[in-house]
Amino acid sequence: MTASGRYAAFAVPGDLVEADGSVTPGPHHQVPPCRHFPECGGCQLQHADDWAYAAFAVSRIAGALAQHGIETDIRAPHLSPPNSRRRATLKAQRTVSGVLLGFYAAKSHRIVDMREDFVLRPELLALLGPLRTLLGHVLSDKAAAEIQMTVIDGGVDLLLNRVEPSGIEAMDLITSFAAQHGIARLSIDQGFGPEPLYEPEPATISLAGVAVAFPVGGFLQATADGEQALSQAVAEATRGRTADLFAGIGTFALAVKADYAAEAARDAVLALKRAARAMTVEHRDLYRRPLDVAELARFDSAIIDPPRAGAEQQVRALATSAVERIAYVSCNPATFARDAALLVAGGYRLDWVKPVGQFRWSTHIELASCFSRGE
């Protein structure tokens, strides 16, 4: 976007936009490293150097807050390096010319067949060729599948969605593939829920030095360094007796040794209960039954890490509570800003925001923040 409000595709600050709309690259315009850019929808900002990418992250958050009249200290962003993402969901389809495996094209359901990538970790990239071969044997013609890949303690956790192997031979191919490539766990979901087919050792993920059972298809922060940056920010923002709301499998609860954790996903609750027996862990849907003011009175700090929709009802309860400090982690600056306005109206001060770019070269920006009152 130029100063006059004119939109120029694939321009970054410092570029020169000519009268005909062409772009003359400036000092922060880089050559995209991947041959699939910009066709592939996995990345939108490979033409921006780190300075421009960081500036974009800050502006996304500042702009969202400004719409609610809020200004605060926005710290220097943490940007995950290339080839650091440890989880991805790829699309796969068998065609007459072979198996397509990759991300969708931008604004499309057409699969861009991934032949190189500068985002995923090497362990995931190493599986792309073998996966194409496997899927060529077990996918039916024109069948579309979804492949979830996550790097955990023992290797790659692989979930094949909408893959329907026919016969014992196909099942043997799948388990042989898992053994040959050191897969930590391989599961299949044929439409009735995921079923582990291969798991030589219990699948775990280490969080703050604690091995936690990792649910099939479970959620994990996209990069290990991004997880660390968010956890450090949460630790800085909290003190005293702490409640972790929308706790998942305990990424932040374990990092700060929280006293209480609430989560709606049953498998995540069971995993955290087994890993942190001294912590009170409650199976609770915070959208339907948020903690009320009386329940929140037990805590000095609260951590809140809701889905992209934010957590308006839980935030309304926090805004009227006596909780002194709130660490709010968000994957959506717009709903974060909406919820931040409710907290500010309730007497909280937004002390700072830490942007985190875990999804390298993507417009998807995450953040951790600190709210306080009475200080």
Side-chain angles (χ1 to χ4, degrees), residues 2 6 83 125 133 152 165 194 221 285 295 324 341 343 354:
T2 66
R6 180 181 176 189
N83 295 117
L125 292 175
T133 301
I152 59 174
Q221 293 295 332
D285 185 339
E295 292 172 300
E324 294 178 4
L343 292 173
K354 175 70 173 180

Side-chain angles (χ1 to χ4, degrees), residues 56-356:
F56 168 80
V58 170
S59 67
R60 277 286 308 276
I61 296 167
L65 289 171
Q67 292 188 22
H68 297 272
I70 301 173
E71 293 184 2
T72 192
D73 173 27
I74 301 181
R75 295 177 172 180
H78 171 88
L79 304 179
S80 292
N83 295 117
S84 62
R85 194 190 302 181
R86 61 182 173 182
R87 64 174 174 88
T89 300
L90 304 180
K91 309 301 179 181
Q93 185 174 19
R94 182 175 175 178
T95 69
V96 292
S97 57
V99 172
L100 303 178
L101 180 63
F103 296 109
Y104 282 141
K107 300 179 182 179
S108 168
H109 285 89
R110 178 177 60 82
I111 298 171
V112 176
D113 195 30
M114 184 189 294
R115 295 297 171 174
E116 66 178 358
D117 181 86
F118 293 84
V119 172
L120 302 183
R121 278 179 49 160
E123 301 98 310
L124 302 182
L125 292 175
L127 285 176
L128 296 185
L131 267 172
R132 279 192 183 86
T133 301
L134 173 68
L135 294 171
H137 292 293
V138 300
L139 276 182
S140 57
D141 288 344
K142 297 184 180 180
E146 187 177 85
I147 314 298
Q148 290 182 241
M149 313 166 71
T150 307
V151 179
I152 59 174
D153 288 342
V156 176
D157 185 28
L158 201 58
L159 172 58
L160 310 181
N161 286 304
R162 299 191 295 277
V163 174
E164 300 179 10
S166 178
I168 296 176
E169 183 178 350
M171 296 295 280
D172 285 345
L173 279 173
I174 291 172
T175 54
S176 296
F177 165 88
Q180 179 182 352
H181 296 284
I183 302 299
R185 177 176 58 197
L186 191 150
S187 308
I188 290 186
D189 188 342
Q190 301 184 62
F192 305 100
E195 176 187 0
L197 295 184
Y198 180 87
E199 189 177 4
E201 299 290 339
T204 64
I205 183 68
S206 292
L207 301 170
V210 178
V212 182
F214 189 65
V216 176
F219 174 80
L220 191 64
Q221 293 295 332
T223 65
D225 60 277
E227 176 190 298
Q228 183 178 19
L230 291 171
S231 295
Q232 288 174 345
V234 167
E236 180 184 347
T238 55
R239 63 180 62 157
R241 289 187 55 80
T242 300
D244 185 0
L245 311 180
F246 303 93
I249 58 174
T251 299
F252 304 126
L254 291 167
V256 303
K257 296 180 172 58
D259 302 277
Y260 168 87
E263 170 57 41
R266 187 181 298 274
D267 52 0
V269 168
L270 293 174
L272 183 53
K273 278 186 174 182
R274 288 193 293 265
R277 298 189 182 278
M279 187 186 302
T280 299
V281 182
E282 183 178 10
H283 181 222
R284 181 164 179 165
D285 185 339
L286 295 171
Y287 283 108
R288 297 182 178 180
R289 194 163 63 94
L291 268 69
D292 60 27
V293 172
E295 292 172 300
L296 290 167
R298 295 176 289 162
F299 306 107
D300 305 300
S301 298
I303 304 165
I304 181 167
D305 180 19
R308 289 186 61 79
E312 184 174 350
Q313 295 307 312
Q314 183 61 80
V315 167
R316 288 186 182 278
L318 282 165
T320 57
S321 76
V323 172
E324 294 178 4
R325 297 173 72 89
I326 299 170
Y328 193 134
V329 178
S330 174
C331 59
N332 185 341
T335 55
F336 165 74
R338 179 202 67 199
D339 289 351
L342 295 173
L343 292 173
V344 170
Y348 282 94
R349 178 179 63 250
L350 176 53
D351 297 315
W352 48 262
V353 176
K354 175 70 173 180
V356 176

